[in-house]
């Protein structure tokens, strides 16, 4: 027998999910209306499957959700919501394999697939959830490669042959600060040497060929 906990404060959705689950006589269905009630039910049924609408429940943030999931490590969770932010999805999905994700405006087949997945002790991520996570990751990677104004100025100074000490003195900064900027620049550009920084500065039009030394 599998125990399910409905943690969804939208009555219509709760009714639909309960009807779906009760099609199998081997399922026991319980209801939680707040975080305290959910924890109390998980204490009784540690390996239960929780169907949660995170956006309508009384979690302060995803950290609370992850703490409870970790506390009841035998539980599995199917997140069913209208909308979940990309940051939330990435944090939850990357932190624990206990979580499956579907959306309320998705087809019923996705809910069924998620239920079938947890029956096999695996997880299910809907196509929309996967696309949201991938797009967010691509956007972060793209923005992570963009140099700030300060970093561009330091690249130009490096290409002009200035030492870290000289750059720090010109900018009224510490050598440590300039060294940190230098490391971030090299990481973002995927380079390892000042010579490669010079070539980048030339391609980016930061300097004239007559301004630098190799």
């Amino acid at each position: 027998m599998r125990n399910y906990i409905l943690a969804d404060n939208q009555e219509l959705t709760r009714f639909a999910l309960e009807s779906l689950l009760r099609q199998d006589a081997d399922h026991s269905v319980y209801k939680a209306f707040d975080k305290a009630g959910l924890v109390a039910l998980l204490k009784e049924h540690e390996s239960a499957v929780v169907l949660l609408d995170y956006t309508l429940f009384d979690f302060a943030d995803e950290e609370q959700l992850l703490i409870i999931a970790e506390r009841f490590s035998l539980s599995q969770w199917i997140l069913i919501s209208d909308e979940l932010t990309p940051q939330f999805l990435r944090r939850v999905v990357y932190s624990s394999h206990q979580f499956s994700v579907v959306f309320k405006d998705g087809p019923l087949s996705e809910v069924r697939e998620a239920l079938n997945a947890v029956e096999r002790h695996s997880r299910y991520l809907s196509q929309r959830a996967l696309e949201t996570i991938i797009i967010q990751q691509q956007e972060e990677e793209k923005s992570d490669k963009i140099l700030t104004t300060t970093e561009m100025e330091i690249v130009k100074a490096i290409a002009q042959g200035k030492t870290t000490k000289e750059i720090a003195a010109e900018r009224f900064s510490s050598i440590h600060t300039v060294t940190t900027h230098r490391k971030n620049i090299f990481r973002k550009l995927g380079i390892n040497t000042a010579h490669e920084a010079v070539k980048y500065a030339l391609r980016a039009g930061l300097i004239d060929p007559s301004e630098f030394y190799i």
Side-chain angles (χ1 to χ4, degrees), residues 1-3 42 44-49 72 74-76 121:
M1 177 181 291
R2 198 68 190 269
N3 296 314
L42 282 169
E44 296 180 30
H45 312 286
E46 292 188 353
S47 60
V49 176
F72 300 99
L74 297 179
S75 64
Q76 290 177 276
H121 295 280

Side-chain angles (χ1 to χ4, degrees), residues 7 9 11 26 58 76 80 83 86 106 110-111 119 134 147 160 164 181-182 191 204:
N9 287 326
E11 187 174 4
D26 289 334
D58 60 337
Q76 290 177 276
I80 306 177
E83 192 68 43
E110 290 188 342
V111 178
E119 283 289 333
I134 291 170
L147 300 185
Q160 290 171 333
T164 299
H181 280 306
R182 182 186 176 104
I191 61 177

Side-chain angles (χ1 to χ4, degrees), residues 31-195:
K31 299 173 187 175
F33 300 96
D34 56 30
K35 189 171 69 222
L38 175 58
V39 170
L41 284 170
L42 282 169
K43 286 179 179 178
E44 296 180 30
H45 312 286
E46 292 188 353
S47 60
V49 176
V50 181
L51 284 77
L52 170 71
D53 186 336
Y54 172 81
T55 59
L56 295 182
F57 231 61
D58 60 337
F59 284 102
D61 52 34
E62 65 265 26
E63 191 65 34
Q64 286 189 349
L65 175 61
L66 290 169
I67 288 171
I68 292 176
E70 184 178 3
R71 178 181 173 186
F72 300 99
S73 58
L74 297 179
S75 64
Q76 290 177 276
W77 300 67
I78 301 176
L79 303 180
I80 306 177
S81 297
D82 288 318
E83 192 68 43
L84 293 169
T85 66
Q87 293 82 0
F88 171 86
L89 283 173
R90 286 190 63 188
R91 175 78 192 284
V92 171
V93 168
Y94 289 168
S95 296
S96 173
H97 283 274
Q98 291 171 260
F99 292 95
S100 297
V101 182
V102 295
F103 289 92
K104 286 187 176 180
D105 60 356
L108 181 60
S109 60
E110 290 188 342
V111 178
R112 294 184 185 277
E113 288 182 47
L115 291 170
N116 290 334
V118 297
E119 283 289 333
R120 301 189 301 270
H121 295 280
S122 59
R123 75 169 173 186
Y124 175 83
L125 300 177
S126 69
Q127 185 65 29
R128 177 179 165 189
L130 284 171
E131 289 175 355
T132 300
I133 292 170
I134 291 170
I135 290 172
Q136 172 70 11
Q137 185 169 332
Q138 290 174 338
E139 289 178 350
E140 286 189 6
E141 290 174 352
K142 181 179 179 180
S143 64
D144 194 42
K145 293 179 181 178
I146 299 175
L147 300 185
T148 64
T149 301
T150 296
E151 289 168 343
M152 297 282 269
E153 291 171 354
I154 291 175
V155 168
K156 181 176 180 178
I158 292 171
Q160 290 171 333
K162 296 175 182 177
T163 65
T164 299
K165 185 177 180 180
E166 289 171 335
I167 297 170
E170 287 182 358
R171 302 186 62 81
F172 302 100
S173 299
S174 69
I175 291 176
H176 173 74
T177 298
V178 174
T179 300
T180 299
H181 280 306
R182 182 186 176 104
K183 288 179 180 178
N184 288 336
I185 291 165
F186 282 23
R187 175 182 56 80
K188 287 183 177 182
L189 299 180
I191 61 177
N192 298 291
T193 67
H195 182 79

Side-chain angles (χ1 to χ4, degrees), residues 200-208:
Y200 169 81
L202 283 169
R203 290 196 303 270
L206 297 178
I207 57 171
D208 186 88

